[in-house]
Amino acid sequence: MENMKRFVFLILLFAASIGAGAQPGRAKGKPMHTVAKGVYEPFFRTATTMPVPVAAFRIDEYAVTNAEFIGFVKQNPAWRRSRVNRLFADKNYLHHWATDTTLAPADAKLLQAPVVSVSWFAAQAYSRWQGKRLPTVAEWELAGNGKPRNIRFDSLTDYILDWYKRPNPKVLPPVKSTYLNQYGLYDMHGLIWEWTFDFNSFVGSTDSRGNTTDEVQAFCAAGAVNVKDKTDYAGFMRYGYRGSLKGNFCIQNLGFRCAKSI
Amino acid sequence: MRFLTKFSQVRIGLLVTALSTSALLLSCQETGKDKPADTAAVDLNAPLTGTVTAELTDAPLVPKPLTYNTPKKVMVELEVIEKVMKISDDTEYTFWTFGGKVPGKFIRVRVGDLVDFTLKNAADSKVVHNIDLHAVNGPGGGAEATNVAPGQSANFQFRVLQPGLFVYHCATGPVGMHIANGMYGLILVEPAEGLPKVDREFYLMQGDFYTKGKFDEKGLQPFDEEKAIKEQADYVLFNGRVRSTTGKNALQANVGENVRLFVGNGGPNLISSFHAIGEIFDKVYMEGGSAVNHNVQTTLIPAGGSSTVEMSLQVPGVLNLVDHSIYRAFNKGAIAQIKVSGEENPAVFKSNK
Ligand SMILES: [Cu+2]
């Protein structure tokens, strides 16, 4: 069953990447920063999970914006809202846009806000078009753990939880509107959720959780015994959030940024 | 262990059906220890007799007693909504709710029903949610089948095998935080023959809340996980708000009436010593189960548990319903009221002042 799912997924992935145009449209100099090599401790501990060594990598300074994503769909018509295959993006795909390639004039301020309501497949296609890729969970968590540079608060966990506790704002603020961390990255927390390459263990083997039962239990009460750090509520919630996703989901607080190996 | 016991009951039920020997059924029930007859075997092979959509109500209202007496397919749909609401007159809190209020919608079904359950998570939710109904025999009480991202929904079905008053709650990690934010409600499973008729039914649910600011401190108060872990509640409330059920919002009843309260306790931490000041509970369905106790002054309601209490009202006045851990009632909000109207009844009570 799991193998079957993986197989179907790979076919979809292959099909989706054909959809992304051949000529990469690299955004001129969107800044990327290097995150030094490190070790990611999986949030949920099982007999099979080990700390994951992560090689140094580059990652976008801020999330992909609506303006940037408009550029992508203009050059890749297969990813326009009216044409996209439902297998790759559900009915909420880019539903905040006025047309296939524009925001409503009243929403002009959203141009510099992160693009949300995009599927994993769309994020993946965009990344490939940029000659980049999505960060893995391990990479994203390492980058997200970077110490805040320009704001003061007692703990990063408190800051993140404070964001989780507030309902989504009516209008999503622009990128670079929250905080900057030690790697030079903006908004790793406090603005949107972000896609990762291996958000769910059915994608490949970089994530060694594997066992679905264990995984499911991590965000049900029964799994609380195996959690690495029971006070890491924020980590718990990201874990649960990722576990609830499917590749074609388009959610109004979920966007992405790209990464690159060195 | 408990699960295994239930599992074997179902198996017995199946076996009985397969052989369809009434003699065997009788002997099975007779030797079924102290099991009430109505739970001995839900016939899983009996055809369902139609589909109904469950009436769902916000506290303090309760759906009408069920009028059908054969198993049906019951459609239930709940939407998780995260929303800022008043926890006190000048204090706000970001509640996470099943249906927009705390506690969540009251669900009423009958033993033997097949519940078709859909859980939606509102598109503008921040986080993932699910539901664990204590009335379910199955993985996580439904939690594993319903881990829903914002804007998505999930569906599962379960057969209602045992009568009682059951708590449901969100079981998404960190579970404590989801419950502390108000994610709980009650599902009543009526026994096959229904509950005895009463004049009025109400829905009350206690919960403890933990805020950065002290009790009644003004403004939007965020959840305080430190206090939650230390079990130092700022608020202990019935129906999610200070004064939710007092004064002009008090429950209304008349002298001579029989009143049934479906009382739940969502927790996350505290056990309730539920008490009516100036009344005695004629009947208490202990812990929401089938055993009935009589003439009870105070009944314990565990966190994640319930109690169904009944009382006949003899004299007019205001009945205060409290958690008799009494500082909670006077300093943290754990008080609700029934306004009893009608003629004085000096044979029962007379003030000689
Ligand atoms: Cu929840």
Side-chain angles (χ1 to χ4, degrees), chain A residues 90 92 158 161 163-168 193 216-217 219-221 233 236-237 240-241 244-245 249-253, chain B residues 84 94 96 123-128 130 143-144 147-150 152 171-175 177-178 222-223 225 229:
Chain A
D90 72 20
N92 295 318
D158 281 357
L161 283 175
W163 178 64
Y164 293 168
K165 286 173 202 166
R166 275 179 282 127
N168 288 323
W193 299 90
V216 159
Q217 284 183 352
F219 40 87
C220 294
Y233 277 26
F236 219 141
M237 295 175 99
Y241 191 95
S244 75
L245 299 175
F249 281 11
C250 298
I251 301 177
Q252 74 180 39
N253 57 16
Chain B
V84 174
T94 306
W96 293 351
D124 61 352
S125 287
K126 205 58 155 287
V127 302
V128 173
N130 64 21
E144 295 182 15
N147 228 45
V148 238
Q152 303 294 327
T172 307
V175 182
M177 181 176 176
H178 286 253
F223 169 62
E225 40 280 307
I229 291 166

